[in-house]
Amino acid sequence: LQAIRTRRGGIAGPTEVWLALRGMRTLHVRLERAYANAATLVERLRDHPGVTRVRYPGSGAIVSIELGSPERADAVADAVRIWTNATSLGGVESLLERRRRHSAEPETVPTDLLRLSVGIEDVEDLWADLDQALRGA
């Protein structure tokens, strides 16, 4: 670490600082939108016949749903078109991930769990895509 700091310095470059500043200026707007989208989806998911359980702490943009079987969870993950099937959190795009696919994951994680990282797209588009996938599973 000392060698890297000596050769490159201990501060971010001007481009990196500009990018961080640019992102911070709109962070609150992006978070408000993602949080509002998540809250709307949670309300609808709680009443959806294809969802057995909704896990949501009451705020934020991360929602988890249980679907009754790992096969249904896989089918939903495969059927979405707007949601990206990926392992990540906090982007502006909506991501969906089927959990407990690997043997190293704890047994406390349900095999039918989908984790949704809700982004800032139009909530009606997100809902339509998720709803069609749930109904088709």
Side-chain angles (χ1 to χ4, degrees), residues 52-125:
T52 59
R53 183 175 180 189
V54 176
R55 296 172 180 242
Y56 184 63
S59 65
I62 304 298
V63 179
S64 293
I65 57 175
E66 295 175 34
L67 303 176
S69 74
E71 294 79 21
R72 282 191 42 104
D74 285 333
V76 170
D78 291 341
V80 290
R81 291 182 177 85
I82 294 174
W83 296 79
T84 300
N85 198 340
T87 303
S88 185
L89 301 170
V92 295
E93 64 283 332
S94 293
L95 306 175
L96 172 145
E97 179 189 23
R98 159 102 140 75
R99 300 297 301 175
R100 186 90 184 278
R101 293 172 296 152
H102 308 290
S103 60
E105 292 183 82
E107 291 184 17
T108 55
V109 176
T111 58
D112 63 338
L113 187 95
L114 284 181
R115 183 182 67 191
L116 312 175
S117 178
V118 182
I120 64 171
E121 301 93 342
D122 180 77
V123 73
E124 297 304 327
D125 291 342

